[in-house]
Amino acid sequence: MARDPADLYEVDPGAPTPDRGLVMLYYLDGFIDAGAAGRLLSAHLASTLEPTPIARFDIDSLLDYRSRRPIMTFSKDHWEEYDGPELTLSLLHDGEDTQFLLLSGLEPDREWDTFTGAVRQLADRLGVRVSVGYHGIPMGVPHTRPLGVTAHATQPELIEGYRPLVDKLQVPGSAAALLEYRLGEDNKAAIGFAVHVPHYLAQAAYPAAAVALLESVQRVTGLALPADALRESARRTDLEIARQVEGSSEVAEVVQALEQQYDAFTADRERLLDDTEAMPTAEELGAQFERFLAEQQSRGDNPET
């Protein structure tokens, strides 16, 4: 028997009361996130905007610790530190002192319906006007070209100007995707962004992808989010990638082939969008996502920031 969603979280009685009509951003670590794009963006916001936790979820009942073991620090002859997992909803202020919410932490392993019910309950209680999720997906694109972003939403007018990637696609589900789906059932505004990360960089931390997500979030929400530190990190990473590409003729050939493919596609975008051979099929994309998930699970760790 499913428990009451209200039992899954606890609101901090000492936390400030947020304004009504806020934006809620969310990123749950555990699903596809090529280039660690979503994780980098959430960490950047948390490190630059001093979040104030207002609600904490019962992570003990949601997480499978044996599949994602928390880090513990051993010092000489004793355990010194335990880095316990968290899943929190925090209040932040952007560069113009506008309040917004950030839901972040590990993706639940279980009780997805109860969890999404709890988030929807909190969103109603706090008067959230739009929810926005984000992550990275691996694609056959070169890092030397502008990164594409796929958008989806519960209401088409929320993502005007974005072109669909495929007509229909089946991929492994996630708690974040289910949250957007359930919000849509409630007739609530919800948006998702997936930045296209070069497949050869999918397992590394790729800040340029996080910058692309930040820009997409700003565009639809109007939030004034800090970007300087993230852009500088992207610049340094891009320089290192260029150095490594120059040092490997094999990698350089792969990048050059992707550049030619990308340029051919964008040379006449309108024509090529109607050419089914120019776009990856749903089966190809689904298989690529499943391979990425399998690689993440076999590695058992996260990309370094």
Side-chain angles (χ1 to χ4, degrees):
M1 180 177 178
R3 58 170 162 163
D4 186 338
D7 295 334
L8 204 57
Y9 64 89
E10 181 176 342
V11 176
D12 186 344
T17 301
D19 296 336
R20 305 287 293 181
L22 298 187
V23 171
M24 180 178 73
L25 307 182
Y26 61 91
Y27 169 71
L28 304 175
D29 194 348
F31 184 54
I32 294 170
D33 188 27
R39 182 166 61 84
L40 288 173
L41 176 53
S42 290
H44 168 72
L45 295 175
S47 65
T48 56
L49 296 178
E50 300 180 356
T52 300
I54 60 174
R56 298 181 185 277
F57 287 82
D58 180 12
I59 196 69
D60 257 1
S61 67
L62 297 173
L63 194 66
D64 178 359
Y65 284 87
R66 290 194 298 176
S67 68
R68 290 186 287 178
R69 297 179 183 272
I71 297 298
M72 297 183 66
T73 302
F74 185 80
S75 178
K76 295 183 179 178
D77 57 2
H78 67 282
W79 292 107
E80 185 175 75
E81 188 176 355
Y82 171 59
D83 187 11
E86 290 187 335
L87 182 52
T88 61
L89 181 67
S90 300
L91 178 66
L92 301 86
H93 295 75
D94 74 357
E96 297 178 353
D97 206 32
T98 299
Q99 294 183 352
F100 70 98
L101 301 168
L102 175 63
L103 173 65
S104 62
L106 295 181
E107 178 189 36
D109 290 309
R110 53 177 67 92
E111 296 194 64
W112 280 9
D113 266 317
T114 306
F115 168 72
T116 55
V119 176
R120 289 149 58 203
Q121 194 176 89
L122 270 171
D124 283 341
R125 175 175 176 176
L126 299 172
V128 169
R129 67 176 174 86
V130 61
S131 303
V132 184
Y134 45 81
H135 66 119
I137 57 176
M139 294 288 285
V141 295
H143 69 281
T144 53
R145 299 294 186 268
L147 298 178
V149 176
T150 292
H152 40 84
T154 56
Q155 301 162 14
E157 62 272 16
L158 294 172
I159 51 172
E160 290 182 355
Y162 285 90
R163 297 180 184 272
L165 183 61
V166 292
D167 180 54
K168 185 171 288 188
L169 173 68
Q170 289 188 322
V171 296
S174 69
L178 181 60
L179 175 58
E180 182 180 321
Y181 178 74
R182 295 298 188 210
L183 288 168
E185 290 183 326
D186 294 341
N187 293 316
K188 301 293 186 181
I191 303 169
F193 291 115
V195 60
H196 306 168
V197 177
H199 62 80
Y200 51 90
L201 298 174
Q203 295 290 355
Y206 188 44
V211 172
L213 289 177
L214 182 146
E215 292 172 347
S216 294
V217 169
Q218 287 191 131
R219 191 176 303 117
V220 298
T221 64
L223 292 172
L225 302 176
D228 289 349
L230 201 56
R231 291 186 190 280
E232 175 58 21
S233 179
R235 186 190 67 81
R236 293 196 305 267
T237 301
D238 287 347
L239 288 174
E240 176 59 22
I241 292 171
R243 185 189 66 79
Q244 293 186 21
V245 171
E246 290 177 0
S248 171
S249 59
E250 182 179 350
V251 174
E253 288 177 4
V254 170
V255 173
Q256 185 177 24
L258 289 172
E259 288 175 339
Q260 293 172 351
Q261 177 180 312
Y262 181 97
D263 292 343
F265 176 74
T266 56
D268 189 353
R269 185 173 178 82
E270 292 302 324
R271 175 178 62 80
L272 288 172
L273 279 173
D274 293 329
D275 182 356
T276 57
E277 293 183 358
M279 292 293 290
T281 66
E283 291 75 15
E284 289 170 341
L285 285 172
Q288 191 172 47
F289 294 162
E290 289 180 345
R291 284 196 301 271
F292 181 76
L293 280 174
E295 290 170 0
Q296 282 189 312
Q297 293 168 355
S298 65
R299 281 162 54 95
D301 59 3
N302 289 320
E304 295 181 1
T305 55

